[in-house]
């Protein structure tokens, strides 16, 4: 587990494990007085983190990381995509086989096979932001819009939730309410389930927009720690890695012999 300071932009504390005991260990290390000085806490959607933060820092504003919220929507979209592809493959297995070479002009159509072939490679067309799509991916997305309204609706739901985080607070609150209403009646189980989680985290989502907080600094710190891991290779305990991480990323400047 990694804890960073948003203001100082440095690593504050880290320990092995990612569970409620680890989170509680950090707040016990701080003590009640310093816990009371914490004003904002950003984290992913893990319930065990939120529960302990509410106990230890009841006055802190709790923020849900936008990246993880959009990731939930992407995972729901991918669940719909996989189900659609599997349905097409199941249909294709029941279609008559074709021999080698070009099919005859009077050969029966094979919609399942054509559909499965079209959906192959559609993952990145659905995952990527519209402004980052290649020309081929734009064509693939347009094909999905024409041939599979349900999958395309799931894509629009994902994009709608992502757009919420790009709006000012008042507009974002209104857009989030509209998204929840849309997802609730979309008749796509993955997104109906997702909207329940969004409703649960609604206040923290809006807090992330209001205070412009995310876990981006934590993700950056984790990337740097993975690089430091190479330096700690061969040590028998995580304490060596933790010490290197705190020395490198924690802002510590110990006095060295012979240095001024």
């Amino acid at each position: 587990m990694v804890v960073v300071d948003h203001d100082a932009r440095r690593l504050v504390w880290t320990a092995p494990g990612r569970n409620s005991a680890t989170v509680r260990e950090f707040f016990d290390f701080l003590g009640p007085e310093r816990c009371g000085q914490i004003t904002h806490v950003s984290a992913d959607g893990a319930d065990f983190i939120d529960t302990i933060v509410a106990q230890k820092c009841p006055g802190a504003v709790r923020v849900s990381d936008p990246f993880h919220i959009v990731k939930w929507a992407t995972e729901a979209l991918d669940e719909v995509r996989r189900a659609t592809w599997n349905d097409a493959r199941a249909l294709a297995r029941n279609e008559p086989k074709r021999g080698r070479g070009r099919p005859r002009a009077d050969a029966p159509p094979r919609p399942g096979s054509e559909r499965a072939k079209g959906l192959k490679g559609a993952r990145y067309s659905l995952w990527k932001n519209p402004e980052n799509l290649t020309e081929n991916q734009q064509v693939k997305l347009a094909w999905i819009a024409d041939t599979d309204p349900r999958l395309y609706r799931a894509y629009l739901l994902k994009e709608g939730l992502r757009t919420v985080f790009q709006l000012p607070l008042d507009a974002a609150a209104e857009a989030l309410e509209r998204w929840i209403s849309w997802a609730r009646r979309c008749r796509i189980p993955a997104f109906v389930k997702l909207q329940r989680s969004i409703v649960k985290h609604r206040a923290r989502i809006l807090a992330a927009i209001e205070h412009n907080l995310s876990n981006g600094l934590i993700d950056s710190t984790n990337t740097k720690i993975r690089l430091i891991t190479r330096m700690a290779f061969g040590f028998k305990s995580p304490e060596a890695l933790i010490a290197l991480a705190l020395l490198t990323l924690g802002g510590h400047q110990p006095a060295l012999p012979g240095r001024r």
Side-chain angles (χ1 to χ4, degrees), residues 64-251:
S64 291
D65 177 44
F67 173 81
H68 283 87
I69 300 298
V70 176
K71 182 182 177 183
W72 293 349
T74 303
E75 290 171 348
L77 169 61
D78 206 47
E79 182 179 333
V80 179
R81 180 194 63 83
R82 289 195 305 269
T84 302
W85 188 51
N86 287 332
D87 290 345
R89 292 175 65 199
L91 179 61
R93 283 194 290 268
N94 296 323
E95 293 174 343
K97 303 295 182 182
R98 286 180 179 172
R100 293 185 178 181
R102 182 178 299 177
R104 301 192 314 270
D106 60 346
R110 304 178 69 212
S113 299
E114 295 299 324
R115 180 158 190 73
K117 183 179 179 181
L119 287 169
K120 186 176 181 180
R123 176 190 304 176
Y124 296 107
S125 300
L126 295 167
W127 280 6
K128 291 173 67 174
N129 298 341
E131 62 272 17
N132 297 329
L133 293 175
T134 65
E135 185 174 345
N136 288 338
Q137 289 168 345
Q138 291 174 6
V139 171
K140 179 78 73 175
L141 187 60
W143 176 81
I144 291 172
D146 289 338
T147 61
D148 196 322
R150 185 173 183 271
L151 179 56
Y152 189 66
R153 190 163 71 251
Y155 166 78
L156 293 178
L157 281 161
K158 185 267 291 185
E159 282 299 307
L161 186 58
R162 185 179 71 88
T163 303
V164 168
F165 292 99
Q166 302 172 1
L167 300 173
L169 179 60
D170 291 341
E174 183 179 349
L176 186 60
E177 289 300 322
R178 290 199 304 268
W179 187 93
I180 291 171
S181 176
W182 182 19
R184 184 177 291 139
R185 53 187 170 79
C186 71
R187 293 180 293 179
I188 301 176
F191 280 92
V192 173
K193 179 181 178 181
L194 174 61
Q195 66 85 22
R196 298 191 190 104
S197 297
I198 298 300
V199 169
K200 180 180 177 181
H201 292 84
R202 174 166 35 195
R204 276 155 279 180
I205 291 172
L206 295 176
I209 297 169
E210 179 181 2
H211 300 284
N212 194 28
L213 285 177
S214 72
N215 276 13
L217 180 59
I218 294 177
D219 294 335
S220 172
T221 302
N222 281 329
T223 299
K224 294 172 183 175
I225 289 176
R226 281 192 287 270
L227 294 175
I228 295 171
T229 302
R230 300 179 183 178
M231 299 169 60
F233 181 77
F235 289 97
K236 296 181 179 179
S237 69
E239 281 71 22
L241 173 60
I242 291 172
L244 283 170
L246 289 171
L247 181 63
T248 306
L249 306 173

Side-chain angles (χ1 to χ4, degrees), residues 4-12 217 249-251:
V4 300
D5 185 334
H6 280 289
D7 292 330
R9 301 190 66 80
R10 63 184 180 88
L11 178 64
V12 173
L217 180 59
L249 306 173

